[in-house]
Amino acid sequence: MTVIAVLAKPPREGLVLPELADTTPLSEAAVAELYEAMLRDTFLAVDRSGADLLVNYLSTDDLPEEHRTDIDPVAELRSIAADTVDDVSTVRFEPQVGSTVSARAGNTLTHLIDNEEVNSAAVVFGTAPLMTRLIVDSAAMKLRTNEVVVGPATEGRAYYAGFTETVDFEDSFEGIELQRLTNRATDADLDTEFLQMSPRVETGRDLLSLLPLLRSRFTAERIVPEYTASFVHDRGLDVAPSDDGPELVVDEAE
């Protein structure tokens, strides 16, 4: 069984997805709401799969001073999880350790694989709402015959990175993540397999990639991530053509 660590932050204004707020008409409050919706959908996808959910959170000491409150991040995230999954007692909560994303992801994966000796472990970022239960279970199947499984996102990023053996994780979740993760696997003589591509939403361009997929699935009456879809509907988010290319439309009166 795969342990999936969701690298999570408390959904606080200005703390989460700052580039998304800078590159769209969405306010910091709306972006925090969207982040929470995507995080909930990630929790659900993992919880409904055959994987074990580990919420790997940023502790108060690791938050910028302006984003610290009287509420402990783990308490905030536990409350969100409890309101989302059927049984929060099955969810693990552990603090991230490390000074960079690569260090935190690498430390978590190394601890799970080397110290806890789990069969496989993966990290995800909670910002790829189209990562469904079926994708999570497909990744677990691929990890039975490959040491590394990566889910490609746009612009060379990864929305899922699973391992049965550790690699050199230094700087592996920075820059062109997809290539770096594959290179590190090859350097360690490990086989890599890939999942279907899925948007990881961190910028306005990412949101433009997600919305047509999400609205098309909704129109075709296919499964959609319920919390993210609800946010999109309530905010009237859509993509429209313009002289400068696709642009985000926000119509909360929809």
Side-chain angles (χ1 to χ4, degrees):
M1 186 176 293
T2 304
V3 177
I4 297 185
V6 182
L7 303 186
K9 300 176 182 178
R12 299 175 184 174
E13 296 180 23
L15 173 65
V16 295
L17 307 181
E19 193 172 350
L20 184 59
D22 290 341
T23 54
T24 68
L26 296 175
S27 66
E28 290 184 346
V31 166
E33 186 180 339
L34 173 58
Y35 176 82
E36 181 177 331
M38 294 191 293
L39 197 62
R40 287 177 182 269
D41 285 323
T42 302
F43 290 168
L44 272 182
V46 178
D47 183 66
R48 291 172 175 172
S49 74
D52 289 334
L53 174 58
L54 165 61
V55 178
N56 209 197
Y57 63 90
L58 274 182
S59 63
T60 297
D61 290 343
D62 290 321
L63 296 179
E65 185 70 34
E66 64 270 24
H67 297 300
R68 298 178 185 179
T69 70
D70 294 336
I71 303 175
D72 194 304
V74 66
E76 191 170 347
L77 290 166
R78 187 184 297 276
S79 176
I80 292 170
D83 190 47
T84 304
V85 303
D86 291 334
D87 183 4
V88 74
S89 68
T90 65
V91 182
R92 292 171 56 182
F93 294 84
E94 294 181 0
Q96 297 177 25
V97 177
S99 58
T100 66
V101 173
S102 294
R104 292 164 184 159
N107 286 335
T108 295
L109 290 165
T110 299
H111 174 76
L112 290 170
I113 295 170
D114 290 348
N115 295 90
E116 295 193 11
E117 298 182 345
V118 301
N119 292 329
S120 57
V123 293
V124 301
F125 298 91
T127 54
L130 296 183
M131 187 191 75
T132 64
R133 172 185 63 82
L134 294 178
I135 291 177
V136 174
D137 285 337
S138 173
M141 291 293 292
K142 291 177 184 294
L143 282 166
R144 293 182 180 181
T145 54
N146 302 272
E147 292 90 356
V148 180
V149 172
V150 181
T154 55
E155 299 185 358
R157 290 168 296 173
Y159 68 89
Y160 178 104
F163 302 82
T164 62
E165 302 285 344
T166 58
V167 300
D168 178 6
F169 290 111
E170 184 176 359
D171 297 332
S172 57
F173 289 88
E174 298 168 23
I176 309 302
E177 301 169 5
L178 187 64
Q179 189 64 58
R180 288 193 179 191
L181 288 166
T182 306
N183 287 345
R184 299 298 170 80
T186 300
D187 290 343
D189 294 323
L190 304 179
D191 291 330
T192 302
E193 184 56 271
F194 299 93
L195 302 172
Q196 66 191 65
M197 182 172 282
S198 186
R200 181 170 144 191
V201 180
E202 297 170 342
T203 69
R205 185 182 302 177
D206 298 333
L207 194 55
L208 291 176
S209 296
L210 172 70
L211 289 173
L213 289 169
L214 189 60
R215 283 195 168 272
S216 295
R217 294 188 64 84
F218 186 79
T219 300
E221 298 183 348
R222 302 300 182 184
I223 295 174
V224 295
E226 57 188 270
Y227 289 98
T228 304
S230 178
F231 175 88
V232 168
H233 175 76
D234 292 346
R235 295 279 177 170
L237 300 188
D238 205 347
V239 176
S242 74
D243 292 340
D244 297 323
E247 66 177 11
L248 179 66
V249 175
V250 182
D251 181 8
E252 297 193 39
E254 183 181 87

